[in-house]
Amino acid sequence: MSERDLSDDEQAIVEAVATWVDREVRPRAGELERAQEYPTALIDQMKEMGVFGLAVPERWSESAVSARCFALVTEQLARGWMSLAGAIGGHSVVALMLSRYGTPEQQERWLPRMATGEVRAAMALTEPSGGSDLQDIRTRAVRDGDEYVVDGSKTWITNARHAGLIATLVKTDPDARPRHSGISILLVEPGQVEVSRDLPKLGYRGVESCELSFAGSRVPAANLLGGVEGRGFAHFMSGLELGRIQVAARAVGVGQAALDDALAYAQQRETFGKPIWEHQSVGNLLADMATKVHASRLLVLDAAAGIDAGRRSDLAAGMAKLFASESCMQVALDAMRIHGAAGYSAEIDIERYFRDAPLMIVGEGTNEIQRNVIVRRLVERDRES
């Protein structure tokens, strides 16, 4: 599986985004990052290019593409500035869940506007009391006539202030057994929830991460995803296959950026009368970095190909997310080593890559959770054979 497996049209889309990233994003990312400024102008350009419609099915989007193409576009965005790739992360997962499980009315209401970026979506899973055990969420939604009354809180919600739709995991039956059968998804709109505060972060700046507060909030019952209670956990688990591929693709993009910058610097910087790449210690770092980035990309494309073929892809997605994120962290550190003291300076991009990389290790399910997913699926597959 490689980029060459894309159609000509899809390859042209990836190349167009890469060109835009080099022209518009990379020259401005450092400045926007330091200002922690929401990239309104860049987001508007992404709308014009149809980026928000890439993960929306063809029926509602003129720019719909395969999961492989979407992953490569995500990589290019992250190569420029990881925060831009984050702006379409939850959006793409919500689009997938709506297209698979939404009622016809929900699909018609939101997917066409999500395709243009008029409505940008976020997802709300994590709570202050915990994140990895989604079956233990405390946010509760109680049916009251044609509405749900929601109480609870969510945290680390990306794009919360700019989202027109937030897919929120709630307990509709706290006494259900097994626990996951009492979980549903509500499609929450602005005015139905309070954004209580913005959370400061090590990296991943420009795009906000917030806490949400539900205190007797009322959400129309028509906003229950799929119209049937108790299916939310399964719906989110299905959507997170694409989410983990998207996070892995971000890791590839940040890793590629770090490799590119380190390779350029190693050819320019000289010590002891020769470029530093000719010193074996530096050359070995570059060789290992390139190998890790390339292997990560192949794992991402393999997982995305499973989604395109309609196959269950949690094993491949977990492997891609685990390997790509750990590799990205190491590549960013090695890029800093190659740059020496200059790599520690906030005036160049290396330190930004190093700050952004840890998010992919802990986001969209920590890598400890990914290992649990991987071994569980390996055992299941072995027993089935």
Side-chain angles (χ1 to χ4, degrees), residues 365-383:
T366 67
N367 280 359
E368 288 67 35
I369 291 295
Q370 301 312 311
R371 290 181 171 95
N372 292 342
V373 171
I374 291 166
V375 71
R376 190 181 303 117
R377 284 292 293 126
L378 288 173
V379 171
E380 288 177 2
R381 192 171 64 178
D382 184 67
R383 290 175 175 174

Side-chain angles (χ1 to χ4, degrees), residues 238-290:
S238 174
L240 285 179
E241 291 184 4
L242 179 63
R244 286 168 179 165
I245 291 169
Q246 206 263 353
V247 168
R250 291 192 227 175
V252 177
V254 173
Q256 185 67 59
L259 170 62
D260 290 344
D261 288 5
L263 184 60
Y265 184 80
Q267 294 176 77
Q268 298 163 4
R269 173 70 166 156
E270 292 187 0
T271 61
F272 305 104
K274 59 183 178 182
I276 62 173
W277 72 266
E278 294 187 23
H279 298 296
Q280 188 175 31
S281 58
V282 174
N284 285 352
L285 285 177
L286 289 166
D288 287 346
M289 291 162 69

Side-chain angles (χ1 to χ4, degrees), residues 41-214:
L42 294 177
I43 294 292
D44 287 344
Q45 291 176 41
M46 288 168 62
K47 291 181 189 177
E48 292 173 7
M49 291 190 296
V51 169
F52 286 95
L54 296 178
V56 178
E58 287 184 6
R59 178 181 171 187
W60 298 278
S61 173
E62 295 180 356
S63 55
V65 296
S66 66
R68 289 163 294 162
C69 180
F70 177 69
L72 290 170
V73 167
T74 298
E75 176 191 332
Q76 291 300 326
L77 293 173
R79 183 178 64 84
W81 189 22
M82 202 273 287
S83 296
L84 290 182
I88 64 169
H91 182 90
S92 63
V93 174
V94 176
L96 179 67
M97 292 191 300
L98 268 169
S99 66
R100 285 181 175 176
Y101 310 117
T103 65
E105 294 78 14
Q106 291 167 349
Q107 293 170 346
E108 292 292 343
R109 181 181 177 190
W110 280 302
L111 285 173
R113 291 185 294 152
M114 288 177 67
T116 63
E118 175 190 349
V119 170
R120 280 163 284 157
M123 54 183 186
L125 290 77
T126 304
E127 298 185 355
S129 59
S132 296
D133 185 5
L134 293 180
Q135 297 185 61
D136 195 37
I137 60 170
R138 309 293 173 83
T139 301
R140 186 172 180 183
V142 178
R143 184 74 180 258
D144 181 21
D146 292 333
E147 296 178 314
Y148 283 94
V149 180
V150 186
D151 290 280
S153 58
K154 298 289 183 178
T155 193
W156 295 113
I157 311 307
T158 301
N159 293 316
R161 292 192 181 278
H162 291 85
L165 187 66
I166 303 176
T168 305
L169 207 63
V170 297
K171 277 277 181 76
T172 45
D173 183 359
D175 299 320
R177 293 293 181 273
R179 291 184 299 163
H180 66 77
S181 64
I183 293 175
S184 305
I185 296 173
L186 286 179
L187 302 169
V188 176
E189 300 174 79
Q192 297 168 0
V193 62
E194 178 188 356
V195 179
S196 51
R197 72 183 181 109
D198 289 59
L199 300 168
K201 298 169 292 186
L202 172 68
Y204 195 31
R205 297 175 180 174
V207 174
E208 75 277 9
S209 298
C210 304
E211 283 188 355
L212 302 181
S213 176
F214 295 90

